[in-house]
Amino acid sequence: MRYSDVTPKEIYLNRRRFLTAALALPIPAAAATLNAGKTAFNAGGEKITSQKIVTTYNNFYEFGTGKDEPAQNAPKWKPISPWTVRIEGEVAQPKTLDVDQILKLAPLQERIYRHRCVEGWSIVVPWIGFPLSALLKQVQPTGKAKFVAFESVYDPNIMLSPRKAGIQFPYVEGLRLDEAMHPLALLTVGMYGETLLNQNGAPIRLVIPWKYGFKSIKSVVRIRLLEKQPPTTWSTSWPAAYGFYSNVNPDHEHPRFSQRDEERLGEGTLLKPKVIPTRMFNGYGDQVAKLYAGMNLDRNY
Ligand code: MTE
């Protein structure tokens, strides 16, 4: 079965229209160069998606719900400088760190990851960052810390209202502490050899490659270590469709978007999109499956 067969036609055609519109935008203004040395991780050696698609076809509801809107609206936003991230909760050493301090915590690496959106498309992106664990170790989580909650910036002067976006702001996400400490969980500051553009979550975001894209929260300002599982934006807005774990799983269907296969953006043609089967844990099972040993992943979706 093809993706176009299982996707409601209206959604499919809308998506194509947005992609076409996004590709018609000018190439975004270059961000600052960011040197990360040689590529530290490249699963599968798949073809990297063009920078133009990755910077113009986005989900960032604070800047609009259409795929082309973040690239149009986010450049008008000036992230506060110096940007700080507050890390607190069940920790021995709560800290507020600015981006320069964070950049000194560990060497930057380039990591080429597949990124699979729950809506049924995927991209391959050369991210730049370092393991989130290096940041979390700084604050010394206590024995009570079992979960990590993340919060995005929210500036009502330039961002959509929750009513217009259809979801609550600030955008929040969460991970179990052992997931957050996994070496693949990337604290990300750049892509394609440059700092992040606003629409991709400047100046600092997460990338969790074995989970659906919405877990990769953008423009993070606050991190809390917690004893209990925190609420997350999409599971609060539609609990039957979005769970806390949100591991990529072709065996757990979403009520609206098929998870069986995915369209790799920028490769096929308009008439013949490149559709490939979706893999458990987005193909990162060898690295991460042990985190979920003994769990029913259909129930814990
Ligand atoms: N973070 C915030 N704050 N707001 C969002 O709307 N969208 C998520 C995630 N992070 C989102 C967010 C979704 S649905 C996806 S697929 C990815 O960001 C998209 O990342 P990209 O635009 O860099 O490809």
Side-chain angles (χ1 to χ4, degrees):
M1 227 200 254
R2 299 176 59 83
Y3 179 66
S4 50
D5 294 326
V6 292
T7 306
K9 193 147 182 228
E10 189 197 335
I11 294 171
Y12 183 76
L13 290 178
N14 263 334
R15 203 154 54 71
R16 292 248 126 237
R17 193 161 50 76
F18 280 128
L19 182 56
T20 313
L23 287 172
L25 289 173
I27 293 173
T33 303
L34 197 61
N35 204 337
K38 77 181 200 333
T39 304
F41 189 91
N42 183 5
E46 286 158 80
K47 190 167 169 246
I48 293 174
T49 307
S50 82
Q51 185 178 9
K52 188 163 181 189
I53 291 179
V54 176
T55 55
T56 54
Y57 188 82
N58 302 103
N59 273 328
F60 199 165
Y61 272 41
E62 288 87 332
F63 290 109
T65 56
K67 302 296 171 219
D68 53 342
E69 285 179 300
Q72 286 167 0
N73 299 329
K76 296 172 207 152
W77 172 58
K78 269 225 168 305
I80 188 166
S81 178
W83 183 277
T84 58
V85 180
R86 174 75 186 159
I87 315 157
E88 59 193 358
E90 285 297 341
V91 299
Q93 292 279 332
K95 283 189 175 164
T96 303
L97 299 174
D98 67 30
V99 174
D100 286 342
Q101 290 170 314
I102 291 171
L103 287 174
K104 289 193 189 108
L105 296 179
L108 290 179
Q109 308 171 356
E110 179 172 76
R111 299 256 183 120
I112 302 174
Y113 285 161
R114 288 180 290 276
H115 183 80
R116 198 325 185 153
C117 181
V118 75
E119 291 165 55
W121 46 270
S122 64
I123 49 184
V124 180
V125 184
W127 303 105
I128 298 171
F130 58 76
L132 173 61
S133 63
L135 178 67
L136 297 178
K137 281 176 192 157
Q138 289 296 313
V139 295
Q140 300 168 28
T142 70
K144 280 193 186 163
K146 295 283 179 292
F147 293 91
V148 192
F150 304 89
E151 190 178 306
S152 292
V153 71
Y154 181 60
D155 179 352
N157 293 318
I158 185 145
M159 294 173 173
L160 289 193
S161 66
R163 192 182 54 80
K164 281 204 175 130
I167 57 173
Q168 292 300 308
F169 294 136
Y171 192 97
V172 289
E173 257 307 334
L175 295 169
R176 231 169 44 195
L177 182 58
D178 59 339
E179 297 178 311
M181 297 301 282
H182 191 281
L184 285 186
L186 197 70
L187 191 72
T188 304
V189 293
M191 50 166 38
Y192 299 90
E194 296 174 348
T195 53
L196 291 173
L197 290 173
N198 290 350
Q199 59 266 39
N200 293 105
I204 194 156
R205 68 175 293 177
L206 294 191
V207 177
I208 313 295
W210 69 97
K211 294 176 179 280
Y212 292 115
F214 62 86
K215 299 293 286 183
S216 294
I217 184 171
K218 295 178 168 179
S219 306
V220 173
V221 290
R222 192 153 80 112
I223 300 178
R224 283 175 305 143
L225 285 281
L226 302 172
E227 208 175 338
K228 299 220 167 72
Q229 184 178 304
T232 65
T233 294
W234 282 102
S235 64
T236 304
S237 101
W238 190 4
Y242 302 100
F244 177 79
Y245 284 95
S246 299
N247 292 313
V248 174
N249 183 355
D251 298 326
H252 181 85
E253 276 303 330
H254 182 281
R256 184 149 152 220
F257 307 110
S258 170
Q259 303 308 322
R260 283 271 141 219
D261 51 26
E262 65 202 50
E263 180 183 338
R264 182 58 57 81
L265 297 185
E267 289 192 30
T269 62
L270 203 61
L271 292 175
K272 210 171 178 307
K274 179 173 175 180
V275 179
I276 54 178
T278 290
R279 290 193 274 161
M280 188 66 201
F281 299 119
N282 203 22
Y284 299 102
D286 287 350
Q287 287 86 8
V288 302
K290 57 181 179 295
L291 292 170
Y292 310 102
M295 269 177 78
N296 179 332
L297 294 176
D298 190 38
R299 231 178 300 135
N300 296 287
Y301 56 92

